[in-house]
Every structure is written in C-alpha cells, then in structure tokens.
Amino acid sequence: MKEINSKRSIAYLLEALTISIIIFGILYSSIPIIQKKVEQEIIKYSTKNVIDAIDNAITSILSSPSEDVLLKLIIEPKARKELRDKLIIFNTDRIKFILILYKDPIRDKIRYIMDVFEGGYDVGTPFTPYSLDSDKNEIDVVRKVSNDGIDTYLKHEDNNIIGITYYHAYVQKGIVKLVVAIDFSFETLKEIENMAFYIKWAILFVILFIGVIFLLVLYSIFRNFLLKQKAFTDSLTGVYNRNYLESIRDMINPKHYVVVMTDIDHFKKVNDSFGHERGDLVLREFAKTIAKNLRKNDLVFRYGGEEFLILLNTPKKNKEVVFNILDRIRKSVEDNVVDGIKVTASFGVFLETNKAKDLEDAIKKADSALYKAKEKGRNRIEFFKEDDDIPNLSIPDIIKIIENEDVVCYYQPVMNVKENKVLYYEALARLKYKGEILPPLPYISLIKGTRAYANFTKLIIKFNIKILKKYKDLKIGINLSSSDFLNEEILKILRDLDDEFVRRIYLEITDAEDIKNYEPFKKNIDGLIEKGYNLVLDDFGKGNTDFVLLTEMNVRYIKIDGLIVKNITRSPDYYNIFKHIATFSKEIGKEPIAEFIENEEILQKVIETGVKYGQGFYFGRPLPIERIYRINE
Amino acid sequence: MFYKGFFLQNLATSLTLFLIINIFFIKISMAGDLVSVCSNNKNDIKTKALAKFVSDITGKSNPKLCVVGSSENDLNLFNNAKKANRSELNSADIVFVKNLQTNVNVGKITFALDCKSLKYCPNCLGVFFVKNGRTMLVIFEEELKKISLKLPSKYNNYIDSRKYLNCN
C-alpha cells in the first residue's frame, strides 16, 4: 500500500512538472509575440508626435473641414507647396523621407502626391518599390492601410538608408484620403530594436522568476502533500488512518460505495497470548490481505484497533459480487498463518448506501451488521437489513414485551486496565421481539416516566439477581435512571436484597442531569451506599454536566462519557478534557472509568492519564453471560 | 529644264544617301560611343532582385543579358562579364541601358536602369531606378502590349502607363 502511495505521488509530481513545463513553454513561445507588441508600442509612441504634427499640417491647408484634401492636393500646386513648407522641418537625421501617397481608385495604383524632402515628383507618379518578398511589398502595405485605415509599419531589413517605415492613414469623413509614409533612419530602427531587446529580456527574466516561484510553490505543495500523506497513513499497516477518513469525510458520497466494517476475531486474545509485537504482525498481514484483494478505486482505513473500514467502489451494488470479494478476503485471512498464528475475520456490509443519511450513518449500519456477524459466531459476512435493524414498535408492543418479560441482558466487561482484570460486567438490556434481540434505546425512551418503565427496571433487576444467583463470582453493573432512585418500589427491591448480592451490584446512575428533586434523590443514594451498593455516575461529561452534583454525590466511580474518550487520540482538546475530568474525579475521591475504549491506541492514552478503569469494544462487545463464561473457559 | 530635273533627282538621291549614311553612322556610333558587356548567366548579376526579374521576364533559366552604357563605369552590374561585340548584343535575350546620352534601339527587350535614360530609349519596356532609398520598378503597359508579353501576375503592381512617370 505504501508502495502504491509513493508511485502515485511520483505520478502526481511528474504530472505537475509536465504541466509546468507546458505552461513555461507557452509563456516562452509567447515572447516573440510580446516582443512584437512591445516593438509596436515603442514605434507608436516614437511616431505619435510626428504623426500628430503631420495630421495638423494637412488639416491646416484645408479652408474648411469638408474640403476634400486629396482633390485639393492633386489640383492645387499652391496647396502642395504650403504642405511641403510645413513638413520640411521634419527633415532630420531620424526621418529620412516623408512621402504623401494616395490610392488611384480608377487604376488601383498607389501614387505620389509628393516626396516632401526631395521634391521633384509630379502628382500621380507611381509608387512602385520592387520587392522579392511578397510579405514586405510596400505597395500592398500602403493599399491595405488605404483600405482599412489602420496604421502599420514595415522594417526594411536589407536597406541601410531607411530602417523602418511607418504608414499613417489620413482619414476624412471616415474615408482614407492619404497615406503618409514616414521613413525612419536605419539608426532609429536599431534604437527601437535595442529597446525591444532589453524589454524582451526583462520579460524573459520576469517569466523565469515566476517560473522559479511556481516551481518552488509546486515543490512546497508536493512536500506538504507527502507530509499529509504520511500523517494520513497508518504507520503500522500502511493503509489510510482515521484522520484521513475525517479529513475526506465531506468529500465521500456514501452512495458511490458499499460500506464494509471488518475486524479480526478475538484479536485481544492474540495480543494477550502472543504479545503486541506478533499482534502487530497479524494486523499488518490482515491489512495487506485486504488491500491485495481490492481494486484501485476502493478505499481501506484502519478505523481503530483491529477494526478496518472498507469502501468498495461498486456502482452496481450487487450482493453476490460484494460477497465474493469479501469472501475471498475472509478465506485468505483464514488460510494465512502468520508466524504460527491463525486468525479469522468478520465482515459487516451495508449495501444500500443510497438510503444512508451520510457516511456516519452508513458506517453505523455496517458496524451493526458486523456486530451481528460476531453474534452469529464470527468468521462470516453479514449484510445489514433495514427491516431487521430497528423494527417499528408501538408503545403497546413495548408494554407487551415488558409484561411478557421478554427482556434479557447482555454483558460488557468494565476492566481494571492496569491489571487487565474485570471489575464488573455492565448489564445492557435487550428486548426480545419476534426472535430478534433488540437494543432498548429507541423504544424505552417512549415509555420513560410511565409505570411500564418502572416495571422494565424491576424486570432488569430481577433478571440480574437470577444471574448473580447462578454465577457466584460475578459482579454486575445495573443501569438505573435518576427517576428510578425516587421510585419506592424499586428502592424497596434494592433495600430488601441480601448483602450477598448487594456487594456484587454496581448501580449506574444514568440521566443524572434530569434530576429535579435533588434532596430526596441524594438521600436515597446515600441510603443505598450505606446498604453496601457501589454507585457509579454514568456518562459524565456530556449534556449539562453538573460538577456540584458530582462533588455532592458519594458515588465511588464516575464513567467519563464515551464521546470524549473515543476522540482522545484524534484531538488534543478531547485529551485535555478527559485528563482534567479524570484528575478532578480522583481529587474528590472518585475513580474515573473510561468508556468506549475501542482500540489499543485509546487504551494507551487512557493509561497515560493514570485512569485505572475502562470499558469498550477493545475488551469485549456485549454478549450473553453464558457466552462470556464459555469464552473465558 | 533637263538640268534642273537632273539636279533635283541628284539632290533627292544625295539626300537619301545622306540619310542612309547618317542612320548607318548612328548605328555605328552607338557601337563606337557606347560600351556593352554581356553574360550568359543570370547569376552573374550582382542584384538578386534583378536576377529574379530577368528570369521572370525572359522565361529562361539562363538568359543572355547585356548592359549598354555610356562609359565602362556604367557596366558594373555583373560579377563576371566580358565586353560584347555587336553580334553578341544581337543575340541577347534582354538588354539593360544605363546613363544613355544618345538614342538606343537594339530591337530587344530593353530595360533602363536609370530614369533619365528613358529619354533616349523610347522602346524601353520599363525602368529600374532608385528613389527614396528604394528600388522602384515601372513596367510600361504600352510597350507590353506592343510586344504581346504576358508577365506573371505578381508584376501587376508595377505595370502602369508611361505617361504617369515623370523623370525630371
């Protein structure tokens, strides 16, 4: 993958260099055009005064503006003399000749009105300079000026008397009546050419300078690109990291991809049994196997720990095609024994990404399918099904579930991360509905504050007491909302419990920010603590986090909210918040617990802050307690 | 009466003879006063423009061309040329005349190399001359018609009536 990236970078650099060479080539080749333009401007500027004076002189011989100048000059020798007298002053070293010409419309010939300096030419004498070069044929040039009325000039390269001739159209009532040819000396041409030459080099220097600056900018962009690429590549596996995903999140349209979440089954066991070094090797091989089996337009990210996000660029979202790709990877992983370690991988696929709200939503759905794959025994590919995900339950459906006691708990370990020991297992409620196990969140909130809700809590407590009876060494955390601590029936159940169970129960206070009646709530909490329960304040750090409440309540543990924890490796701000909450908790005698530890990196950061306890997918996903015991055996 | 008639007859004969002798002498004097040089190679001509023109006007790749002038200084047109005799002049494809002081009619396509020679060369087909630092060419349409010479269209710009050219 790294090799592919470096090849791609070189290709980008070559592309950029080619473009800059082309741009530079275009600029360089435009120099003669620029030079010509500059030359034109210099000539125009140098001749302006003479042209104006000649125009004024010609106009001054007319008795009225409507008088035809051509006719007057042809028929009146006096007018010609007057004009000649006025123009003779231009006879300098710079100006060799001034010729007043006109086009004979009958014979289509160019003829003299006069040669101002030399004289001796009668009106009508043909102006016929002979030239071998048709482009430099003066007759055609004068004819063109006479037709178009646009001044121009011609350089005489093989003439050592006149260097350049400027042809000026004298226009009257929109018609070119005369063409004044002003012959500048050879020396004047040299002066102009020298000036143009210096300007050309100045322009060339500026272009070179811009070119160098452009190359420097290009180099800096490329260097920045390499640095970014380095920052966006996971150093262990060589695939893109989570930071890259975050940086391009807005640019990714999930509709163009099939979203796949995959991870190595029981990877923690690999790390625990074979050490991190060999664990890293397994991860590297896993990433390599994924990358090898994907196409150029697919994307792979190390999403966290042993979890990888794959974005398959398949416009036709054919389930069979996607299954075949992923099964190929699954089999390769299964067959590939890395340093004596055999692992398997599970895949969760979200195919119908056109229905996703955004990439986050698509990832969540793929993750949910991965979860299902894990539940169904791992080493398999599961496709997300909308219908299976969240069935639309009505309040009567939920009440019926509670009445039928179709409620179970899955358990997730809360660990002493330093000693790698389980502190307790948090009981996470699940609803059983039509053979499916559903998370309670979207439904239970519908009945919050009702009697059904209190019944639901009682059911959970009852369920867990049964479990505690069955597994004598088990410690369980039960979630109770703040309203449960004001419910006498629930409190009675808790108060009446034998001490044998009490010391093994951790009561997690959820929704603490909803507490309205603080005094009785605190009194009840204190009573339960006195009874011997371990109290845990859940989800601290989100919502209206109340530090007074935290200080006043005699809870033993504080769970720092998962949204803070999962971002501590990405953002220094989150890391600082986490560190300060943890320090503050410890200072007021409460042990912080970090939620949502999803991978090794987060775990290391948590340990770095001195926090002893944590929970999250890195240690284990919620499972039925029987399965946990089976795995631990 | 007889004598008178005899006298007049002799006078007429004498005048005719005088005229014939005169014309003969003019021709002879042309050969005597004027100098001419010829070349068989157009590339001998120093001016590239003139060499090209010679080719175009004669239609030959290696035309024989001669220059006739009032002195040897006027003949400095060729790199390699030798003095021509009468028969060589007669076989020329084109003749250039320069600085003429006397009339010339060699019965060939003749071009003047200066404006003033036109006065002594009524049959000149045209003239090359320098004016305002430029080499001007005028080909006379009347002469072209006379000899029914068709020139390439690129020479159209230079063809004009002789009456427009004033060489004073």
Side-chain angles (χ1 to χ4, degrees):
Chain A
M1 188 67 74
K2 269 180 185 171
E3 203 180 313
I4 293 167
N5 283 343
S6 82
K7 271 184 190 167
R8 205 176 287 170
S9 314
I10 290 165
Y12 285 150
L13 182 68
L14 285 176
E15 229 169 73
L17 272 174
T18 314
I19 291 167
S20 29
I21 287 168
I22 291 169
I23 293 170
F24 193 72
I26 292 167
L27 285 174
Y28 189 79
S29 62
S30 66
I31 289 176
I33 301 164
I34 297 168
Q35 190 183 357
K36 173 108 182 145
K37 200 85 198 155
V38 169
E39 211 172 75
Q40 270 174 4
E41 287 305 309
I42 295 172
I43 291 166
K44 221 175 185 179
Y45 182 76
S46 331
T47 52
K48 196 179 178 307
N49 288 344
V50 181
I51 297 295
D52 288 349
I54 290 172
D55 273 353
N56 289 339
I58 295 172
T59 310
S60 71
I61 61 162
L62 300 171
S63 45
S64 78
S66 59
E67 197 177 15
D68 190 315
V69 67
L70 179 59
L71 197 62
K72 187 176 177 88
L73 285 170
I74 288 173
I75 60 174
E76 289 182 24
K78 202 178 136 202
R80 289 200 293 275
K81 188 181 177 309
E82 191 186 338
L83 180 61
R84 186 167 187 261
D85 290 345
K86 284 182 176 171
L87 297 181
I88 202 94
I89 50 158
F90 290 110
N91 192 354
T92 59
D93 287 345
R94 285 172 65 81
I95 299 174
K96 290 288 173 190
F97 307 104
I98 294 178
L99 313 175
I100 313 284
L101 308 167
Y102 73 99
K103 193 176 92 174
D104 172 356
I106 298 159
R107 296 180 66 91
D108 190 31
K109 301 286 173 194
I110 305 300
R111 302 189 186 284
Y112 280 88
I113 290 284
M114 72 170 87
D115 167 0
V116 173
F117 298 161
E118 289 193 354
Y121 259 41
D122 279 357
V123 171
T125 300
F127 177 73
T128 53
Y130 178 57
S131 169
L132 284 178
D133 187 350
S134 58
D135 289 343
K136 303 214 162 178
N137 189 314
E138 280 192 270
I139 304 170
D140 290 336
V141 175
V142 175
R143 192 177 278 128
K144 194 167 183 329
V145 173
S146 179
N147 291 339
D148 303 344
I150 300 165
D151 291 6
T152 188
Y153 68 91
L154 190 74
K155 288 200 275 182
H156 304 271
E157 269 142 23
D158 51 359
N159 192 319
N160 51 10
I161 300 170
I162 43 177
I164 192 163
T165 302
Y166 191 88
Y167 304 91
H168 168 63
Y170 183 85
V171 183
Q172 212 181 18
K173 292 179 191 165
I175 299 163
V176 179
K177 293 287 179 180
L178 306 169
V179 175
V180 183
I182 306 153
D183 292 329
F184 290 91
S185 66
F186 182 71
E187 289 74 25
T188 310
L189 172 68
K190 287 288 138 206
E191 275 170 32
I192 290 168
E193 279 182 343
N194 279 347
M195 225 185 284
F197 174 81
Y198 291 124
I199 291 172
K200 172 186 135 178
W201 276 103
I203 291 168
L204 190 65
F205 177 77
V206 170
I207 289 174
L208 264 172
F209 183 73
I210 292 168
V212 169
I213 297 286
F214 182 75
L215 283 175
L216 280 174
V217 170
L218 196 72
Y219 170 73
S220 149
I221 290 169
F222 182 66
R223 201 163 161 267
N224 194 26
F225 170 76
L226 284 183
L227 284 173
K228 261 195 172 175
Q229 197 181 54
K230 210 174 168 188
F232 289 153
T233 307
D234 180 59
S235 57
L236 178 68
T237 59
V239 299
Y240 294 124
N241 60 18
R242 186 93 176 255
N243 288 339
Y244 184 57
L245 178 69
E246 294 305 326
S247 73
I248 62 165
R249 188 180 284 274
D250 296 339
M251 288 182 262
I252 296 178
N253 185 348
K255 291 179 178 71
H256 298 158
Y257 297 92
V258 168
V259 178
V260 181
M261 288 296 283
T262 176
D263 74 2
I264 301 171
D265 298 327
H266 300 303
F267 183 68
K268 188 172 177 294
K269 273 191 177 174
V270 175
N271 265 347
D272 291 348
S273 314
F274 301 100
H276 286 289
E277 230 170 81
R278 290 173 76 187
D280 286 351
L281 191 66
V282 170
L283 267 179
R284 257 200 304 270
E285 282 302 313
F286 181 54
K288 212 186 274 178
T289 310
I290 295 172
K292 207 163 62 188
N293 284 285
L294 297 181
R295 292 150 307 177
K296 204 181 153 192
N297 293 336
D298 300 330
L299 294 165
V300 193
F301 303 88
R302 189 176 173 199
Y303 198 68
E306 74 276 21
E307 207 170 23
F308 290 81
L309 167 69
I310 303 170
L311 299 179
L312 291 175
N313 195 324
T314 45
K316 285 181 187 168
K317 289 166 182 147
N318 186 309
K319 192 172 176 179
E320 205 181 317
V321 172
V322 173
F323 182 84
N324 287 340
I325 296 168
L326 297 176
D327 203 45
R328 203 166 52 230
I329 300 173
R330 189 191 64 75
K331 280 179 183 156
S332 300
V333 173
E334 198 176 21
D335 296 343
N336 189 17
V337 182
V338 184
D339 202 16
I341 306 166
K342 199 175 169 185
V343 290
T344 57
S346 301
F347 298 82
V349 187
F350 180 50
L351 206 61
E352 293 169 305
T353 43
N354 51 332
K355 290 181 184 168
K357 276 182 270 172
D358 50 25
L359 184 64
E360 192 69 51
D361 184 41
I363 292 173
K364 249 184 212 169
K365 285 175 171 151
D367 202 36
S368 150
L370 174 62
Y371 183 57
K372 208 189 280 176
K374 296 275 178 195
E375 275 190 329
K376 287 187 176 174
R378 295 180 166 85
N379 192 21
R380 58 187 294 124
I381 298 154
E382 273 301 314
F383 283 82
F384 177 85
K385 281 188 227 156
E386 198 72 54
D387 301 344
D388 295 346
D389 185 40
I390 307 170
N392 202 5
L393 299 184
S394 63
I395 293 176
D397 287 336
I398 301 163
I399 293 171
K400 203 172 168 193
I401 288 170
I402 296 167
E403 279 170 2
N404 292 343
E405 298 192 2
D406 282 337
V407 178
V408 291
C409 284
Y410 276 27
Y411 295 87
Q412 191 182 32
V414 174
M415 303 289 293
N416 179 327
V417 295
K418 284 193 175 164
E419 294 169 12
N420 201 22
K421 279 182 185 166
V422 177
L423 177 67
Y424 67 89
Y425 285 92
E426 182 182 355
L428 298 159
R430 296 288 186 266
L431 308 181
K432 289 201 281 187
Y433 179 74
K434 291 182 180 172
E436 285 291 323
I437 301 290
L438 308 175
L441 258 185
Y443 314 111
I444 292 305
S445 57
L446 297 175
I447 57 162
K448 223 172 174 185
T450 66
R451 184 154 181 79
Y453 185 80
N455 288 341
F456 172 73
T457 309
K458 282 190 265 178
L459 209 57
I460 296 294
I461 297 170
K462 245 166 80 180
F463 182 89
N464 280 295
I465 291 166
K466 258 190 229 168
I467 296 290
L468 285 171
K469 277 180 187 166
K470 194 174 172 186
Y471 299 96
K472 303 286 181 198
D473 58 337
L474 188 66
K475 290 177 186 170
I476 291 176
I478 301 171
N479 287 302
L480 296 180
S481 77
S482 51
S483 61
D484 292 330
F485 287 95
L486 297 168
N487 186 305
E488 276 308 317
E489 286 178 32
I490 293 169
L491 287 170
K492 188 170 181 320
I493 296 170
L494 293 172
R495 282 178 196 135
D496 292 349
L497 262 184
D498 285 349
D499 285 352
E500 180 208 345
F501 298 118
V502 170
R503 62 183 170 78
R504 288 160 62 201
I505 292 176
Y506 290 70
L507 295 176
E508 295 196 12
I509 310 162
T510 62
D511 314 325
E513 69 269 21
D514 292 346
I515 299 165
K516 289 181 179 75
N517 207 350
Y518 179 67
E519 279 308 317
F521 173 78
K522 188 176 181 301
K523 198 180 130 200
N524 292 341
I525 293 278
D526 289 345
L528 291 169
I529 291 168
E530 207 174 307
K531 170 87 180 152
Y533 285 103
N534 292 296
L535 265 290
V536 182
L537 182 62
D538 202 8
D539 301 329
F540 188 79
K542 72 166 187 185
N544 299 320
T545 295
D546 190 338
F547 279 88
V548 177
L549 181 79
L550 175 69
T551 317
E552 288 288 326
M553 278 205 295
N554 294 320
V555 295
R556 189 162 166 197
Y557 300 97
I558 291 167
K559 276 193 175 175
I560 302 174
D561 192 72
L563 281 174
I564 298 173
V565 181
K566 75 176 188 181
N567 285 310
I568 60 173
T569 50
R570 282 201 309 108
S571 150
D573 291 341
Y574 277 105
Y575 178 77
N576 284 331
I577 292 168
F578 176 80
K579 199 168 80 176
H580 289 302
I581 294 175
T583 311
F584 176 69
S585 305
K586 279 192 262 183
E587 278 172 5
I588 58 169
K590 293 161 176 61
E591 274 298 340
I593 299 171
E595 293 184 298
F596 280 41
I597 297 179
E598 291 177 340
N599 55 52
E600 177 77 27
E601 285 164 277
I602 298 176
L603 174 64
Q604 288 312 321
K605 283 270 175 193
V606 167
I607 292 171
E608 197 179 290
T609 58
V611 172
K612 238 163 88 179
Y613 302 101
Q615 86 181 99
F617 286 177
Y618 180 71
F619 302 108
R621 289 173 185 269
L623 290 172
I625 197 71
E626 298 79 10
R627 293 243 334 246
I628 293 173
Y629 269 81
R630 250 199 331 269
I631 292 165
N632 288 344
E633 274 164 20
Chain B
M1 204 53 192
F2 172 78
Y3 287 105
K4 194 182 174 184
F6 180 77
F7 174 75
L8 285 171
Q9 199 178 2
N10 274 331
L11 185 66
T13 310
S14 303
L15 276 170
T16 310
L17 275 172
F18 177 78
L19 279 172
I20 290 169
I21 289 164
N22 252 338
I23 290 166
F24 175 72
F25 267 102
I26 286 169
K27 294 238 176 178
I28 293 298
S29 75
M30 185 200 81
D33 298 341
L34 295 174
V35 191
S36 58
V37 292
C38 290
S39 170
N40 281 321
N41 190 346
K42 73 171 171 50
N43 297 327
D44 283 346
I45 302 179
K46 283 178 180 172
T47 323
K48 212 197 281 178
L50 205 58
K52 176 79 179 118
F53 175 75
V54 164
S55 261
D56 286 341
I57 212 135
T58 59
K60 291 181 178 176
S61 56
N62 273 314
K64 183 166 183 177
L65 43 116
C66 297
V67 181
V68 175
S70 61
S71 72
E72 283 194 34
N73 292 338
D74 299 332
L75 309 176
N76 190 19
L77 186 70
F78 298 115
N79 285 323
N80 304 301
K82 55 182 176 71
K83 271 196 180 173
N85 56 35
R86 178 74 207 175
S87 67
E88 275 178 305
L89 206 57
N90 283 340
S91 63
D93 293 306
I94 185 165
V95 174
F96 290 101
V97 293
K98 202 176 173 189
N99 291 337
L100 292 184
Q101 304 292 325
T102 51
N103 277 4
V104 166
N105 182 1
V106 287
K108 297 282 170 188
I109 295 174
T110 309
F111 258 84
L113 292 177
D114 64 316
C115 208
K116 285 186 177 161
S117 290
L118 283 176
K119 198 168 124 188
Y120 302 102
C121 185
N123 296 324
C124 263
L125 184 56
V127 59
F128 272 102
F129 61 100
V130 174
K131 173 81 182 160
N132 301 131
R134 298 160 169 89
T135 303
M136 305 281 193
L137 166 65
V138 183
I139 303 164
F140 304 133
E141 63 183 7
E142 298 87 345
E143 296 304 316
L144 273 178
K145 271 182 199 157
K146 262 192 222 164
I147 58 170
S148 305
L149 183 66
K150 183 103 178 121
L151 287 176
S153 61
K154 63 181 176 183
Y155 289 101
N156 288 353
N157 270 338
Y158 309 101
I159 300 169
D160 206 345
S161 174
R162 186 168 179 155
K163 69 179 180 191
Y164 288 106
L165 187 66
N166 187 329
C167 287
N168 294 326

